[in-house]
Amino acid sequence: MDVDADEFEKSLPHLQELVLGAEFVGLDIEFTGLRSNLSQQQISLFDLPSEWYLKTRQSVQQFTICQIGLSVFSSIEGESNKYVAHSFNFFLFPTTFGILDSEFSFQASSVQFLNQYGFDYNKFLKNGIPYMNEEQEKKIKHDILRGNWRIRSSLDKDQIKVVIDKVTRWLDPAKEGDQMTLPGIAGFRAFEIQLVLRQALSNIWTTLHDEGVVVRKVSRQHRWYLEHASCDQVSRWKEQLLLSARGFSIFFQMLVKAQKPLVGHNMMVDLLHLHDKFFRPLPGTHAPVWAICSVTPQRPQELHFPRVTNLSDVYDVLSGDLNPTKDSGPVIVHASQCEKYAKTKCPHEAAYDAFLCGSVLLKVAHLLLQRVHGDPMPEPSFPQYLDMLTPYVNQVNLIRAGVPKINFSGPDYPSIRPPILILTVKKWPGISEQQVYREFQNLCKFDVRRFTGNQFLLLTNKFKDVRNVLKEYRSHPTLQVSLYRYWRHSPNVTCLLQVCSIVTTWATLAFLLGGPCS
């Protein structure tokens, strides 16, 4: 189900009810870009978590969210191990309100990718749900509630100017008590128009009717009386303005308070965007950033499923005959307004991918539970599934970094990457990292980092690449490749050994030349 700005406020009570009654929530996010092409921002398998974070933080600040997909999974009362999924696509656009005027970039490859899968840019750009983080909200709230609020957006200024000009032309010949109607203005815009008109013109009063905003000419004395008689109403308007400007941030805070498990797919960048766009700007140094309770199931290697490369394939494998619990596992159905996904695969549509994430979570949890209990297995419950997933809670996968995942609940796990290779280059002066990369790219993909003048470190995430390169370059006349050994190759260790050797030599000479003590 698609939700844009027109439907969002009406949908909030229903969304809140669904989330509060849910077992867990699946998440997926689409962005205007993923990684900046600037060389200093390229992530690497050599990166420590702190380095990976700082590089990714720059991309998160540069791009924005265009669509959030949520799939809310709830148990069906009275039916054992059966779940219903309510899936929603939320189209978002940063709040343009008062002093807020966000800047963000588009990445051509990301736009092309989303176009390929039918993304509706009209809903994003023309009718996206507004949002802001807590710091932006504080600034706006301060301005609105203290009467210092100003229109800064050029578009809003032009629209407001047309309204003020129209009222001003009517006001000159009008008599006290005359009134005019501004038709077709309702909701958030109606509150905004009334506040601006009352602030700009001291001899008018405004009211909201079904047909639109009604403007009445009044004396200054009567205006003073009306202002003091309606202070509470104006305060309510300002609160309503703030509520409308916060937009999706309201639902986000509600999701946080509900504390439901959240499951996603390679979701580290998603979590950073959620933090930056709805909570607070990302901190400048590596630290455990805020996150909703996150559950990240990993593929149990003992089950010997085939290696797959995308979320849809994972779902297909777990739904097929290779899954020994296919017939006994959880039953998942779509809610009536979300039956599109029951008939059609929609890869890279955020709500569909969120549904796949949630379904994979249930199927993997059932497999783990079956391994513990064996057959026959008693009817499982979702709390039992969560118990099986406890080892994976708050661990989020990193695709390219020095560690395989970040652990929000404790220290990061040690790397399980293939070993580092060291390349020694002969008879090729001035060779660069890019030239080394191109030399190996037809055989396999390595991240390259200069080690010394003629030595480079090579790192891959595939063990077979290490084996292939060691075999192919075993007798190469120019490029000598071997396993990197810290105690053998580290400059620090080499320097230390040299110092120790010098000290030992001098001590030996002093002993030999000094002779016995008299």
Side-chain angles (χ1 to χ4, degrees):
M1 178 180 177
D2 290 349
V3 181
D4 58 18
D6 290 338
E7 298 95 15
F8 179 68
E9 287 193 28
K10 295 180 290 185
S11 303
L12 264 179
H14 176 57
L15 291 169
Q16 182 174 16
E17 182 181 355
L18 284 176
V19 170
L20 291 176
E23 301 290 359
F24 69 98
V25 178
L27 168 78
D28 187 69
I29 302 180
E30 302 297 341
F31 312 108
T32 59
L34 290 177
R35 292 281 176 188
S36 171
N37 290 322
L38 299 176
S39 58
Q40 62 266 30
Q41 291 185 344
Q42 294 302 308
I43 59 173
S44 165
L45 292 172
F46 291 101
D47 289 341
L48 297 173
S50 57
E51 296 171 313
W52 185 96
Y53 168 76
L54 289 175
K55 292 178 180 180
T56 305
R57 175 178 177 264
Q58 294 179 12
S59 294
V60 169
Q61 293 171 331
Q62 181 177 348
F63 302 115
T64 197
I65 295 171
C66 54
Q67 187 183 67
I68 288 184
L70 292 179
S71 195
V72 183
F73 285 76
S74 305
S75 300
I76 299 179
E77 188 175 354
E79 298 196 45
S80 177
N81 205 22
K82 189 171 184 179
Y83 299 83
V84 59
H86 293 80
S87 303
F88 302 90
N89 283 310
F90 297 96
F91 292 86
L92 270 60
F93 193 84
T95 296
T96 305
F97 181 82
I99 62 173
L100 293 187
D101 191 9
S102 302
E103 297 180 4
F104 60 88
S105 301
F106 282 92
Q107 196 167 32
S109 58
S110 294
V111 173
Q112 193 175 40
F113 177 82
L114 291 176
N115 272 334
Q116 180 182 348
Y117 289 99
F119 183 78
D120 191 339
Y121 276 95
N122 278 329
K123 287 188 177 181
F124 160 52
L125 294 170
K126 292 185 177 181
N127 207 21
I129 304 164
Y131 63 86
M132 63 177 71
N133 62 34
E134 289 184 0
E135 286 195 8
Q136 293 170 324
E137 182 183 340
K138 286 178 183 177
K139 294 176 183 177
I140 290 295
K141 188 173 184 178
H142 180 273
D143 288 346
I144 290 178
L145 298 183
R146 285 160 180 77
N148 299 324
W149 169 61
R150 295 288 186 275
I151 298 288
R152 298 291 177 89
S153 161
S154 297
L155 176 63
D156 286 346
K157 281 182 178 179
D158 292 342
Q159 293 174 338
I160 294 293
K161 186 176 182 297
V162 170
V163 173
I164 293 177
D165 288 346
K166 183 177 181 179
V167 173
T168 302
R169 288 195 301 270
W170 166 81
L171 196 58
D172 285 339
K175 297 177 182 179
E176 188 175 328
D178 289 352
Q179 63 184 39
M180 69 171 295
T181 300
L182 301 171
I185 301 176
F188 164 69
R189 182 61 66 187
F191 297 127
E192 185 179 34
I193 290 291
Q194 290 185 82
L195 285 174
V196 172
L197 286 174
R198 291 185 187 184
Q199 191 174 33
L201 304 169
S202 60
N203 58 340
I204 59 104
W205 192 248
T206 63
T207 52
L208 181 60
H209 295 272
D210 290 340
E211 60 270 22
V213 174
V214 176
V215 182
R216 182 158 52 99
K217 187 172 183 177
V218 297
S219 66
R220 295 181 185 275
Q221 293 83 358
H222 191 43
R223 166 68 180 263
W224 182 90
Y225 168 78
L226 290 170
E227 283 179 345
H228 286 76
S230 62
C231 284
D232 290 343
Q233 181 194 49
V234 174
S235 295
R236 287 195 299 271
W237 282 1
K238 291 178 177 179
E239 291 288 352
Q240 183 63 40
L241 269 173
L242 180 62
L243 197 68
S244 298
R246 288 178 63 201
F248 191 82
S249 303
I250 300 170
F251 178 59
F252 174 78
Q253 294 297 337
M254 182 186 71
L255 190 62
V256 173
K257 291 177 181 176
Q259 285 294 292
K260 300 295 180 179
L262 185 70
V263 59
H265 172 61
N266 290 330
M267 65 186 300
M268 189 63 216
V269 175
D270 299 34
L271 291 175
L272 294 182
H273 270 283
L274 291 177
H275 188 292
D276 188 70
K277 303 302 188 290
F278 307 124
F279 184 49
R280 293 174 189 164
L282 289 170
T285 57
H286 175 55
V289 297
W290 170 93
I292 308 171
C293 179
S294 169
V295 178
T296 309
Q298 306 294 325
R299 179 175 65 91
Q301 299 297 324
E302 303 92 324
L303 297 172
H304 303 293
F305 285 139
R307 183 174 293 277
V308 292
T309 58
N310 62 64
L311 181 61
S312 294
D313 289 345
V314 174
Y315 176 80
D316 290 341
V317 168
L318 290 170
S319 302
D321 293 335
L322 290 176
N323 183 353
T325 63
K326 172 190 172 185
D327 297 324
S328 63
V331 177
I332 306 167
V333 298
H334 295 278
S336 57
Q337 71 270 35
C338 312
E339 289 183 341
K340 166 187 174 182
Y341 297 150
K343 304 172 184 175
T344 309
K345 292 184 177 182
C346 303
H348 304 294
E349 187 169 291
Y352 180 73
D353 284 357
F355 166 75
L356 295 185
C357 288
S359 299
V360 167
L361 177 95
L362 289 172
K363 292 175 184 292
V364 168
H366 188 81
L367 275 165
L368 295 173
L369 189 65
Q370 193 268 343
R371 288 174 57 215
V372 171
H373 289 281
D375 292 322
M377 185 173 68
E379 288 294 343
S381 64
F382 188 72
Q384 289 176 300
Y385 284 163
L386 277 186
D387 288 342
M388 292 295 100
L389 296 169
T390 298
Y392 312 107
V393 169
N394 286 340
Q395 297 176 34
V396 185
N397 181 48
L398 295 183
I399 298 177
R400 299 187 67 81
V403 296
K405 53 190 172 183
I406 284 182
N407 182 10
F408 285 113
S409 299
D412 294 327
Y413 284 78
S415 175
I416 53 172
R417 305 292 189 197
I420 299 175
L421 299 180
I422 185 167
L423 167 70
T424 302
V425 183
K426 296 181 178 180
K427 302 177 183 179
W428 193 345
I431 185 173
S432 66
E433 292 178 352
Q434 290 75 20
Q435 288 172 312
V436 172
Y437 177 83
R438 288 195 292 270
E439 170 68 26
F440 290 97
Q441 68 178 354
N442 292 329
L443 181 63
C444 49
K445 297 292 189 298
F446 277 95
D447 284 359
V448 181
R449 178 170 291 183
R450 187 180 292 275
F451 187 59
T452 63
N454 69 331
Q455 290 184 310
F456 298 84
L457 299 179
L458 311 178
L459 189 56
T460 181
N461 54 11
K462 296 180 180 178
F463 283 89
K464 69 174 184 178
D465 289 347
V466 172
R467 293 192 295 269
N468 290 341
V469 166
L470 289 174
K471 179 181 178 181
E472 291 292 328
Y473 286 81
R474 181 179 302 164
S475 303
H476 198 282
T478 304
L479 306 176
Q480 296 180 355
V481 183
S482 60
L483 292 175
Y484 172 78
R485 304 297 186 193
Y486 179 79
W487 293 106
R488 178 182 174 188
H489 297 108
S490 171
N492 295 331
V493 175
T494 302
C495 180
L496 178 62
L497 292 176
Q498 288 173 346
V499 170
C500 291
S501 176
I502 293 171
V503 170
T504 302
T505 301
W506 276 106
T508 303
L509 287 173
F511 176 78
L512 293 175
L513 297 177
C517 295
S518 57

